Amino acid sequence: MDLMKEKKFGFGCMRLPLLDKEDPASFDYDLINKLFDNYLENGFNYFDTAYTYHGYHGEEGVRKALVERHTRDSFKLATKLPLRDFKDSEDMEKIFNEQLNNSGVDYFDFYLLHNMGSNVYSKCEKYGAFDFAAKKKEEGKIKVVGMSFHDMPELLDEILSKYADKIDFVQLQINYVDWEQPNVQSRRCLEIANKYDKPVTVMEPCKGGTLINVPEEAEKLMKEYNPKASTASWALRFAASQKGVFRVLSGMNTMDQVNDNTSFMADFKPLNEEEMDIIERVTKIINDNTAIACTACEYCTHGCPKNIAIPKYFALYNSIMRTTGSFLSQMVYYNNIAIKNGKASECIGCKQCEKACPQHLPITTYLKDVTEKFEKNSIIPTRK
Ligand code: SF4
Ligand code: SF4
């Protein structure tokens, strides 16, 4: 299958509309059915869910709103193996069969190793997760194998150099604010995927909603150039314009969003130079509105006796202070970074870092804020 010929726009099903915000399984099927139908009627066909979404009910929600209401050849379904959850090889098989059952299908069009990063990579090697996905593909239970990735480009390079023959595509967090952010490094991760000729699907193009509700000054710039274009259209088109990107996902939960997103993705046009220039200025405005004015120079990290990833943690903190929507994904990054570095709470207050910081930031105080957000507030759900 030539992935670059696939429909360029997918429906992300991580945040489907609910009847009760406290109950992740209380799907608002009346609305979801209409959103899915409208999206399909606009000529698109790709739905991205996961075993862990909606408190482990995501696949069931998609089954009821999509699989049981539409013919199998009218849509493509993607789901993911929960790398954090599986215990051993047998458990992978058990989970996979459960997923087929949850989803009401006998094969997956796309199947991804979910949230690959430092915390799960060795476990995947030990229990053969890459081989497992390849075997399921051989059996015809999976058409295309992918990997969603939330870690640093060096690790992506290492994994692809070893498993390029078993991974057909990579799913990356790409948006204009994370393009050069040290904690995500969208641009460099994309370059690695390009290096191995792996087509890329983009997740979080609007950074959990951050790039929809941009500061007034930034929105003004966009509206002056094109009064009709939504802030979401700038974000999605930025992601879809990048080399090697074959699909961009959007988690839509209102009809206005489906109508808006499908309108410009149906007749997709990459951003021109002038638009790219506006994106650069918008990025600067957003960054100027950030909670911690860290420039990621890394001067502070060299002498830290606890090897605390100070600028990376500050970038994550800034991301969640701009929105609540992307907290879960920022938490995943935090936990991955903390595997090889000291956690914010391990700071011993020696203030070596503050002496080195050219921005004169009160680093030790900020690390307490980071601890409060990321270590005392864990919202990552676990398998029952
Ligand atoms: S004050 Fe904390 S973060 Fe700064 S160098 Fe010392 S241990 Fe590291
Ligand atoms: S030295 Fe200051 S500005 Fe540079 S990375 Fe560290 S905290 Fe950020």
Side-chain angles (χ1 to χ4, degrees):
M1 186 189 300
D2 182 354
L3 294 180
M4 296 311 287
K5 289 191 178 149
E6 284 282 288
K7 308 265 183 197
K8 215 169 171 70
F9 179 51
F11 202 125
C13 302
M14 186 166 78
R15 305 179 189 102
L16 292 171
L18 298 174
L19 295 170
D20 172 2
K21 284 201 170 92
E22 303 302 315
D23 176 3
S26 65
F27 296 105
D28 181 351
Y29 284 112
D30 283 349
L31 178 55
I32 299 170
N33 293 352
K34 286 182 189 139
L35 299 178
F36 282 8
D37 293 355
N38 188 1
Y39 164 84
L40 286 164
E41 281 157 19
N42 276 291
F44 298 100
N45 62 2
Y46 185 82
F47 294 83
D48 172 272
T49 186
Y51 184 73
T52 54
Y53 288 176
H54 284 276
Y56 295 84
H57 293 278
E59 291 163 342
E60 172 198 322
V62 171
R63 184 188 80 228
K64 289 188 180 159
L66 176 74
V67 179
E68 291 177 359
R69 299 178 53 255
H70 293 276
T71 57
R72 186 66 184 91
D73 59 354
S74 64
F75 61 86
K76 292 190 177 175
L77 182 61
T79 192
K80 313 184 186 83
L81 178 70
L83 304 181
R84 185 167 50 95
D85 286 337
F86 81 83
K87 296 187 191 80
D88 52 30
S89 314
E90 270 177 32
D91 202 31
M92 277 191 284
E93 187 74 41
K94 184 168 165 274
I95 289 175
F96 187 82
N97 290 330
E98 216 182 297
Q99 290 182 288
L100 290 172
N101 197 36
N102 291 342
S103 307
V105 295
D106 47 22
Y107 69 92
F108 295 115
D109 301 277
F110 290 73
Y111 192 75
L112 298 92
L113 306 184
H114 194 185
N115 272 346
M116 178 61 76
S118 316
N119 57 338
V120 291
Y121 179 41
S122 54
K123 176 180 163 189
C124 287
E125 290 214 287
K126 180 174 174 190
Y127 293 112
F130 297 92
D131 296 331
F132 173 79
K135 183 172 83 79
K136 290 292 166 198
K137 189 177 166 189
E138 265 174 41
E139 290 170 7
K141 300 279 185 192
I142 298 172
K143 304 284 180 205
V144 183
V145 175
M147 166 177 82
S148 69
F149 184 81
H150 278 286
D151 211 305
M152 297 298 111
E154 293 75 18
L155 181 65
L156 182 59
D157 201 347
E158 185 186 332
I159 295 174
L160 289 180
S161 69
K162 221 165 162 183
Y163 295 105
D165 60 326
K166 297 197 166 68
I167 297 288
D168 302 315
F169 76 107
V170 182
Q171 189 155 306
L172 296 174
Q173 177 165 327
I174 294 179
N175 58 67
Y176 60 79
V177 164
D178 285 329
W179 191 238
E180 300 289 355
Q181 283 285 358
N183 57 311
V184 178
Q185 304 194 37
S186 296
R187 179 183 57 78
R188 286 198 55 221
C189 285
L190 180 60
E191 283 168 5
I192 299 291
N194 289 340
K195 176 175 142 187
Y196 291 93
D197 268 334
K198 296 297 164 192
V200 168
T201 292
V202 172
M203 55 186 159
E204 300 283 9
C206 296
K207 203 169 166 61
T210 313
L211 306 185
I212 293 175
N213 302 310
V214 298
E216 223 172 282
E217 198 190 337
E219 189 166 359
K220 195 164 159 252
L221 273 181
M222 294 167 165
K223 289 288 176 206
E224 272 169 7
Y225 182 82
N226 183 350
K228 286 189 187 151
S230 62
T231 48
S233 75
W234 286 84
L236 265 72
R237 287 179 60 224
F238 172 84
S241 298
Q242 306 305 328
K243 184 182 166 204
V245 168
F246 74 101
R247 183 148 36 221
V248 174
L249 304 177
S250 176
M252 299 165 283
N253 42 35
T254 67
M255 199 56 87
D256 282 350
Q257 286 171 355
V258 177
N259 287 334
D260 175 57
N261 289 192
T262 52
S263 68
F264 57 82
M265 289 308 290
D267 179 27
F268 172 72
K269 289 191 179 57
L271 292 182
N272 61 34
E273 246 176 68
E274 221 179 323
E275 289 170 319
M276 280 294 186
D277 182 54
I278 291 170
I279 285 285
E280 215 171 286
R281 290 156 68 197
V282 164
T283 305
K284 185 171 179 329
I285 294 168
I286 293 173
N287 286 337
D288 287 349
N289 279 276
T290 50
I292 302 177
C294 167
T295 58
C297 65
E298 300 224 338
Y299 289 176
C300 54
T301 53
H302 303 307
C304 175
K306 294 290 179 184
N307 190 27
I308 296 170
I310 299 165
K312 289 194 171 84
Y313 293 160
F314 287 174
L316 290 171
Y317 183 83
N318 283 336
S319 296
I320 61 159
M321 293 310 280
R322 281 193 296 259
T323 181
T324 51
S326 61
F327 192 14
L328 184 58
S329 105
Q330 304 306 328
M331 184 77 86
V332 170
Y333 276 109
Y334 184 83
N335 289 334
N336 279 336
I337 293 167
I339 304 267
K340 289 185 185 154
N341 297 274
K343 288 183 176 171
S345 59
E346 287 170 39
C347 170
I348 54 169
C350 66
K351 301 213 174 188
Q352 181 112 345
C353 52
E354 294 189 7
K355 286 185 203 126
C357 178
Q359 309 301 322
H360 310 294
L361 299 179
I363 295 174
T364 49
T365 306
Y366 286 154
L367 284 175
K368 289 191 179 112
D369 296 337
V370 171
T371 304
E372 202 59 39
K373 284 283 171 206
F374 289 98
E375 296 181 35
K376 298 194 176 157
N377 238 341
S378 183
I379 55 160
I380 296 182
T382 50
R383 186 183 171 200
K384 290 175 191 80

